[in-house]
Amino acid sequence: MVKIAKRQSELRMEVESSDIAGVSLDSLYPGQTAVIVGIVAETRAKMHLMELGFVAGSPITFLMSTPFGDPHIYALRGTNIALRKGEARCIRVRI
Amino acid sequence: MHSRADLNRPAPTPPSDAKKVPLIALVGSANSGKTTLFNRLTGSHYNTVNYPGATVEFAIGTGRVFGDLDCRVMDTPGITSLAPASLDEKVTVDALFGAQRPALIIAVVDATQLSRHMYLVRQLQDVGFPLIVALTMTDLLRSGGREISSRKLSEMLECPVMELDPRRKDKAAELGAMAAARVREQISGSKKFPGSEDLAAFQRDLTPDRVQESFTALDELERLVISSVAHSASGHPASASARADANPALTGAAATRRSLDRVLLHPVYGLAVFLAAMFLIFTSIFWMATPFMDGIDAGFGWLIAAVKHLLPASWISDLIADGILGGIGSVMVFLPQILILFFAMGYLEDSGYLARGAALVDKPLSKIGLNGKSFVPLLSGYACAIPAMMAARTIPNRFERNLTIFIIPLMSCSARLPVYTLLLAFLTPHDKPWLGGLMLTGLYLMGLVMGAVVSTVISRIRRAHGFSGFILELPALRKPVFKIVIHSTYHKAVQYLRKAGMTIVFISLALWVLTHTPPVEPPKVSSGMSAEVSAAAGTAAPAAGTAVSASSEYVAVTHSYAAQLGRIIEPVMRPMGLDWRGGVAMICAFAAREVFVSAMVLMYRIDDGSADGKNQGLANRLLARMSEVRFEDSGKKIFTVSSVLGVILFFMIALQCLATVAVSRQESGGWKLPALQLALYTGGAYVLSVALVQGLRALGVA
């Protein structure tokens, strides 16, 4: 059951990733601002990120890294959010 | 997901007339200013109560600013959405739709991040809750050169909106009047309150497309209600404020926050600040708490002596003095430590630093299979495992949450400190007091190292399933509100006293009964017996007047059920270097670790009757006694370097607290986790301490 659901979500990811252009969020340099174009992740993770405000059209700024290099701190919709690089990679942005 | 079938259970608290008194819930995202507002609305007089079925404690207080309306106000943990991503969010959401539905929700919204916080408000409206929106941080918005129109916002939302500085009293009264009117309207009306079926339907219909639509609409709303102030108060040049409009992240307040973060998250300074903060917290636990702990210890010692002196000598005075007062004393003695650690953590949390700390340690913790969000639970584990395991609810990934809960008992909780203090004092030579401190630090670090090892091994065997991530909002750094920190510390202490304290006092009583039954007739004690006992225990003959009473008590203990039990398990205790009396103390420690100390006092007969002990503290008398007691058969000393080290190692690893086992079961949703903890930690502790004692003895260490 779990495996099937996982495969389905992988398939869905592939489908979605094909129509989301842009670069991944973790490719920004410190201080750089971009606009989110979409999220490539399985539905639950995607929903969670979106509910926090990571939705298409939002400006986002990479503020700084943390002492061990991960997570990164981003400014989004008036707040600062720490995000692992792995998650940042799921978020596609347009510079 | 975690099974929460017990949510249907009827409420144990509050009382039955609670139904008539309407409940007003404060709901909002984390760091929106809910708690400050809550204190204003309730005048800081509140209790933390268990919400129906749920174990999370919500603060519920009587409303003070609602005119003649009788109502209760409830503060809830921050949520982002009605579709919860973690267990603590789920508990909050379920509570809103639970047995005691709020008559009104005051949604607390930070004006500087309007779109994110309005997202939840829109959801609350969609499911049909009666609402008032309280806008906070409007001053911060203004200092950033922008302004919000609460009138426009109210028109667009079709619900009352109140601009609020939670720190100003008059505004709270105004909000109270508004809320009272709304509640009356709600009670007299026949409008149906949303129930769990509405929540289920709402969660079913929530799709990524709908979230996208909501935010698009909220962006539009934000454009309409927030405008830039014409004259720039903070002296921004025109171009700068134009840019600020395009990107709110670059406004004044956010910029200040960021420059501070550059230090706090700097590769060198950030780490230095973090280590300094941790060092300060832990040293304060040791040094600041010690005088208070000594004071409490001495106070209870005096009280016990006074009771024994005032009441006629009988089993009743014994029960009151040793059973009840002794039990309460053993709970109270490490309250200072718990208070200090919770105060320090509350202070760091309210300042916003704790979130940065979690972000900072996320990578190292992820290497051992945990998450940055495990940081706060693990840190709390140094005070008490019970609130620590509950704090693990904020970890969204189930595997990481369970793994955090799994290793929390290895963190050196404050209940171990009285045991360590006693045993290390035994080991420390009088001319080298610093050695004890050094060893204590070592013990604390070793707990952490063992936790890391266990966590690494388990996470290598069983990989985490599902989405493992770290997403954490870093709240604005600010000066902590002292009153709020004090209150949260106080309520955590009360929670601890209720949960762990009751168990400990109960066990102390049970222990007293076990050691005093079956009753032994005092006249039957012969002088020969007394001499034999004195010789076996290796003590100098006590003053003649006290000899009979002291040894008769000893005889009572040696014939008690506890002693019979101890003798049964003596073969198991021997390899650890302990006799049956130590065995009984160890059994008692399974109720709660610190009971070990009072059990030692009882089992090795530290009587206040002994001639030279009157002016010494209980601990000193116990220490003196420990260096004397011998095995009853071989006559060898029981407490030696090796056996004491063995006991220390056992206490470091073993899971000995019944309250922790219960909470572990409740938080992990089954017996599997606590059973594994008991088997691994307690079994491992025994094997390792036997190996240590026998190994040391083989090497010639006594």
Side-chain angles (χ1 to χ4, degrees):
Chain A
M1 273 299 282
V2 178
K3 270 190 180 163
I4 294 169
K6 217 174 173 184
R7 207 164 301 143
Q8 278 177 341
S9 71
E10 274 165 15
L11 281 175
R12 202 160 38 232
M13 271 169 61
E14 278 168 33
V15 172
E16 283 171 7
S17 62
S18 63
D19 31 271
I20 295 176
V23 296
S24 88
L25 181 61
D26 77 323
S27 63
L28 298 189
Y29 55 82
Q32 195 177 15
T33 300
V35 175
I36 296 174
V37 290
I39 295 168
V40 186
E42 50 99 7
T43 313
R44 248 188 88 168
K46 178 173 172 169
M47 280 293 283
H48 185 45
L49 283 167
M50 288 184 76
E51 293 204 290
L52 286 166
F54 293 90
V55 295
S58 318
I60 186 166
T61 308
F62 173 32
L63 292 180
M64 66 192 89
S65 187
T66 48
F68 295 106
D70 202 10
H72 284 179
I73 316 283
Y74 296 93
L76 172 82
R77 295 181 176 269
T79 191
N80 293 352
I81 296 179
L83 208 61
R84 275 192 195 162
K85 280 188 205 158
E87 280 136 35
R89 242 169 257 137
C90 301
I91 299 171
R92 312 295 294 178
V93 295
R94 192 182 59 237
I95 298 167
Chain B
M1 259 332 265
H2 194 86
S3 143
R4 301 234 60 112
D6 49 340
L7 266 178
N8 299 323
R9 222 169 50 195
T13 50
S16 53
D17 64 345
K19 276 249 181 287
K20 286 179 240 155
V21 184
L23 183 69
I24 297 174
L26 295 182
V27 179
S29 306
N31 315 305
S32 53
K34 276 190 313 292
T35 304
T36 324
L37 178 62
F38 176 74
N39 284 334
R40 279 271 175 266
L41 296 179
T42 58
S44 305
H45 298 291
Y46 62 89
N47 296 308
T48 50
V49 298
N50 268 329
Y51 207 77
T55 41
V56 72
E57 302 219 317
F58 290 149
I60 296 190
T62 307
R64 303 266 159 171
V65 293
F66 297 89
D68 50 358
L69 176 80
D70 276 333
C71 67
R72 292 168 309 129
V73 185
M74 173 169 84
D75 193 13
T76 61
I79 53 173
T80 310
S81 153
L82 289 180
S86 67
L87 192 55
D88 69 326
E89 290 192 343
K90 184 169 164 52
V91 170
T92 306
V93 172
D94 287 347
L96 292 178
F97 295 86
Q100 273 191 285
R101 263 159 240 167
L104 175 72
I105 285 181
I106 297 179
V108 188
V109 169
D110 176 349
T112 63
Q113 29 182 325
L114 193 71
S115 63
R116 291 183 71 242
H117 286 184
M118 286 307 293
Y119 176 73
L120 176 64
V121 173
R122 278 301 202 191
Q123 290 190 335
L124 291 168
Q125 272 191 317
D126 280 352
V127 293
F129 274 114
L131 274 185
I132 291 181
V133 172
L135 277 178
T136 61
M137 322 275 178
T138 48
D139 48 337
L140 217 66
L141 192 73
R142 220 164 282 128
S143 72
R146 294 181 307 152
E147 203 167 47
I148 186 164
S149 162
S150 49
R151 191 185 48 80
K152 255 193 224 166
L153 185 62
S154 169
E155 281 168 10
M156 295 183 70
L157 291 174
E158 295 170 339
C159 99
V161 174
M162 174 101 204
E163 212 176 297
L164 196 72
D165 180 352
R167 294 168 203 229
R168 270 181 59 192
K169 257 195 184 126
D170 51 329
K171 284 286 186 181
E174 216 175 302
L175 178 67
M178 194 188 261
R182 202 80 214 275
V183 168
R184 286 217 172 82
E185 197 179 295
Q186 201 63 35
I187 293 169
S188 58
S190 57
K191 223 179 140 208
K192 195 179 144 280
F193 284 92
S196 48
E197 63 286 349
D198 298 297
L199 176 66
F202 176 83
Q203 289 175 344
R204 207 173 38 240
D205 293 344
L206 198 63
T207 59
D209 287 342
R210 289 199 60 168
V211 181
Q212 181 72 49
E213 278 166 33
S214 302
F215 271 100
T216 311
L218 288 171
D219 284 339
E220 183 57 28
L221 179 119
E222 193 174 279
R223 261 191 292 280
L224 289 169
V225 298
I226 293 185
S227 52
S228 54
V229 184
H231 71 97
S232 183
S234 46
H236 282 305
S239 61
S241 60
R243 220 181 55 185
D245 275 346
N247 186 356
L250 299 175
T251 49
T256 325
R257 191 197 308 180
R258 259 193 305 152
S259 58
L260 255 171
D261 272 335
R262 288 210 189 289
V263 178
L264 294 178
L265 295 170
H266 186 273
V268 179
Y269 308 130
L271 267 182
V273 169
F274 179 80
L275 291 176
M278 290 304 112
F279 179 78
L280 258 174
I281 287 180
F282 283 104
T283 46
S284 67
I285 294 177
F286 298 137
W287 309 124
M288 270 172 66
T290 309
F292 294 105
M293 294 174 80
D294 289 349
I296 291 171
D297 190 36
F300 271 92
W302 178 85
L303 208 61
I304 288 169
V307 166
K308 283 190 169 173
H309 183 74
L310 288 176
L311 293 179
S314 68
W315 66 270
I316 298 178
S317 79
D318 246 30
L319 174 69
I320 293 172
D322 294 329
I324 298 175
L325 283 176
I328 295 172
S330 65
V331 172
M332 299 302 285
V333 78
F334 50 91
L335 195 60
Q337 279 200 312
I338 288 188
L339 287 175
I340 289 171
L341 186 54
F342 279 144
F343 179 84
M345 281 184 63
Y347 194 85
L348 288 185
E349 184 171 21
D350 207 47
S351 73
Y353 183 73
L354 224 45
R356 273 123 185 119
L360 197 147
V361 298
D362 177 57
K363 193 169 185 188
L365 285 179
S366 73
K367 296 268 181 226
I368 60 168
L370 298 174
N371 188 293
K373 290 183 182 177
S374 310
F375 168 61
V376 173
L378 292 177
L379 191 56
S380 312
Y382 281 95
C384 176
I386 292 163
M389 285 182 174
M390 292 182 171
R393 283 181 187 160
T394 53
I395 303 167
N397 182 286
R398 190 181 171 143
F399 179 81
E400 288 172 345
R401 185 174 73 239
N402 282 347
L403 192 53
T404 306
I405 290 173
F406 194 80
I407 66 161
I408 278 174
L410 290 173
M411 304 303 117
S412 217
C413 71
S414 56
R416 283 180 176 102
L417 197 83
V419 180
Y420 287 163
T421 311
L422 176 77
L423 298 177
L424 288 179
F426 182 85
L427 291 179
T428 311
H430 283 295
D431 54 330
K432 292 174 191 154
W434 51 268
L435 200 62
L438 202 66
M439 286 194 284
L440 194 58
T441 314
L443 290 181
Y444 270 67
L445 287 178
M446 266 172 79
L448 194 63
V449 170
M450 272 188 305
V453 170
V454 169
S455 173
T456 310
V457 170
I458 292 178
S459 64
R460 291 291 180 275
I461 296 170
R462 283 197 55 185
R463 285 247 162 229
H465 295 293
F467 182 64
S468 156
F470 181 79
I471 309 170
L472 187 64
E473 190 187 338
L474 304 184
L477 289 164
R478 60 165 187 175
K479 197 167 160 280
V481 183
F482 201 67
K483 210 171 162 187
I484 289 183
V485 180
I486 289 283
H487 270 281
S488 83
T489 309
Y490 168 74
H491 285 285
K492 274 181 188 154
V494 169
Q495 183 186 347
Y496 153 75
L497 284 178
R498 259 203 309 240
K499 282 229 161 64
M502 292 306 277
T503 321
I504 295 163
V505 172
F506 176 77
I507 297 293
S508 299
L509 270 176
L511 172 66
W512 185 90
V513 172
L514 273 179
T515 47
H516 285 73
T517 50
V520 179
E521 293 289 312
K524 279 187 186 166
V525 182
S526 67
S527 55
M529 182 79 174
S530 148
E532 176 200 318
V533 164
S534 301
T539 49
T546 58
V548 171
S549 101
S551 45
S552 73
E553 275 183 49
Y554 183 81
V555 169
V557 166
T558 52
H559 288 80
S560 67
Y561 292 126
Q564 291 167 23
L565 191 65
R567 290 206 168 90
I568 293 171
I569 62 154
E570 176 151 6
V572 183
M573 301 314 298
R574 272 295 169 101
M576 269 184 76
L578 293 179
D579 70 339
W580 63 270
R581 290 169 290 187
V584 173
M586 284 296 227
I587 289 176
C588 297
F590 271 83
R593 295 176 179 92
E594 65 283 355
V595 176
F596 180 76
V597 178
S598 51
M600 288 279 284
V601 171
L602 210 59
M603 292 315 295
Y604 290 107
R605 300 316 313 162
I606 318 301
D607 309 295
D608 44 353
S610 66
D612 57 341
K614 278 229 153 123
N615 301 321
Q616 290 177 321
L618 200 63
N620 284 330
R621 271 182 280 146
L622 180 54
L623 277 179
R625 190 87 175 97
M626 274 173 67
S627 57
E628 290 164 353
V629 287
R630 288 163 192 276
F631 284 103
E632 281 163 350
D633 47 5
S634 64
K636 281 185 184 161
K637 282 195 176 181
I638 298 170
F639 293 101
T640 60
V641 173
S642 59
S643 71
V644 168
L645 280 175
V647 175
I648 290 177
L649 187 67
F650 187 85
F651 271 86
M652 253 173 76
I653 304 170
L655 175 55
Q656 293 167 294
C657 172
L658 291 185
T660 303
V661 174
V663 173
S664 171
R665 189 205 67 84
Q666 165 199 302
E667 292 297 307
S668 65
W671 279 111
K672 202 173 136 196
L673 198 95
L676 202 63
Q677 281 175 318
L678 268 174
L680 183 68
Y681 295 152
T682 312
Y686 179 72
V687 170
L688 286 176
S689 61
V690 167
L692 179 72
V693 173
Q694 298 307 323
L696 282 174
R697 292 199 170 156
L699 289 173
V701 181

